[in-house]
Amino acid sequence: MTTNPALSRRSALATAAVAAVGAAGLTAGAAAPAVAAGADAPAQESAKPTVVLVHGAFADASSWRPVTERLQCLGYTVVAPANPLRGLAHDAAQVAAVLATIQGPVVLAGHSYGGAVITQAAASAPGVRALVYIAAFMPDAGEVLGELSGRFPGSQLQPALNPVPVPGPDGSTAIDLYIRAEKLHDVFAQDLPASTTRLLAAGQRPLNATAFTDTATAAAWRTLPSWTLVATQDRGIAPDLQRFQARRAGSRTVEVPSSHLPMLSRPDAVTSLIRSAARSVTG
């Protein structure tokens, strides 16, 4: 939903423009109740679609664990694939390949940078019937995430990023982005315990900086119904950017007082929104 004189102009732009990317991991004590408070019994929802959960940057599929547990308790089949975090085109193609293996209708959800990935991946996945964005990017075709993220103030992530030169696949030098461990709590997850954010910082996966200079080639929200959760206390992706994107897409929108990681701090609200999208698919 933040410089190093040795960086190339392209990498420096990506690093400076990054306003937000997804991060999360396993939350201590995040076990889900058998059914979320106030939820209907699983038996009352039939012919459920498969729910596919795409994580954001600095994370892996465990960022969705509290939501995955709740959805599984409610009888949903959940798939939480690995998002490679190597660039928008590459990552979208990888997720689209996973979607092609799933039979029946799919509700596709993305957190933060994962929102950009599902926006492009769903355009080539006919089984996807609904999109859910959780504190996420929702680019239009032709937009660049680094530029999109700079349209609204509010992110505190840029100065917290640590760019690390790494060998690229072609032998050239690439740039991987991490969040500085001492900054992750305050800029990304201020409503989670410090003990949890220390674990998140220790286990984060890097995002290749090209993710923020790649151009989005498709916008599935233009043809598919979408649901959006705006995290109103987000210091990663500016809440006003989240609202702008949701209005542009005509999303059914809820606002939740959460940091950039509502899957961990407000998992019941995230689960409820995904169930709303799933009910629209099952009728």
Side-chain angles (χ1 to χ4, degrees):
M1 163 90 160
T2 125
T3 35
N4 185 331
L7 298 180
S8 66
R9 183 176 182 275
R10 173 181 172 89
S11 297
L13 172 63
T15 303
V18 175
V21 274
L26 180 60
T27 303
V35 178
D40 296 332
Q44 295 179 8
E45 295 177 14
S46 59
K48 296 178 176 66
T50 298
V51 178
V52 178
L53 306 173
V54 178
H55 64 81
F58 314 130
D60 58 27
S62 67
S63 64
W64 286 104
R65 177 176 172 176
V67 174
T68 298
E69 290 174 332
R70 285 161 169 78
L71 290 170
Q72 288 178 335
C73 285
L74 291 163
Y76 288 91
T77 297
V78 179
V79 177
N83 183 356
L85 308 180
R86 297 296 84 194
L88 183 56
H90 176 80
D91 298 342
Q94 292 290 312
V95 170
V98 172
L99 294 170
T101 69
I102 299 173
Q103 299 295 315
V106 169
V107 172
L108 181 59
H111 170 243
S112 194
Y113 168 67
V117 173
I118 71 169
T119 294
Q120 187 155 315
S124 60
V128 176
R129 305 292 177 81
L131 300 169
V132 183
Y133 294 92
I134 307 298
F137 283 118
M138 301 170 63
D140 201 353
E143 290 183 337
V144 175
L145 291 189
E147 297 171 356
L148 180 63
S149 65
R151 292 186 188 180
F152 295 87
S155 173
Q156 300 178 22
L157 185 60
Q158 177 185 335
L161 287 179
N162 180 29
V164 177
V166 295
D170 60 357
S172 64
T173 299
I175 300 296
D176 274 356
L177 300 173
Y178 294 82
I179 301 176
R180 298 181 189 279
E182 71 275 13
K183 298 290 188 180
L184 192 145
H185 179 270
D186 289 343
V187 305
F188 230 55
Q190 71 274 17
D191 55 354
L192 290 173
S195 58
T196 296
T197 56
R198 284 195 295 269
L199 292 174
L200 303 183
Q204 62 183 300
R205 293 176 55 228
L207 175 71
N208 191 276
T210 59
F212 287 88
T213 57
D214 289 343
T215 300
T217 60
W221 50 258
R222 288 196 167 274
T223 56
L224 291 171
S226 62
W227 283 253
T228 295
L229 184 146
V230 173
T232 63
Q233 298 173 7
D234 200 332
R235 299 174 184 172
I237 297 179
D240 282 344
L241 175 58
Q242 296 176 42
R243 295 181 181 107
F244 161 76
Q245 295 174 131
R247 287 194 301 269
R248 180 172 68 172
S251 289
R252 300 155 178 83
T253 304
V254 299
E255 297 203 354
V256 174
S258 167
S259 70
H260 190 60
L261 303 181
M263 311 93 65
L264 300 180
S265 63
R266 299 294 297 271
D268 287 337
V270 174
T271 303
S272 178
L273 188 66
I274 292 171
R275 290 184 69 197
S276 294
R279 289 191 185 103
S280 78
V281 172
T282 60

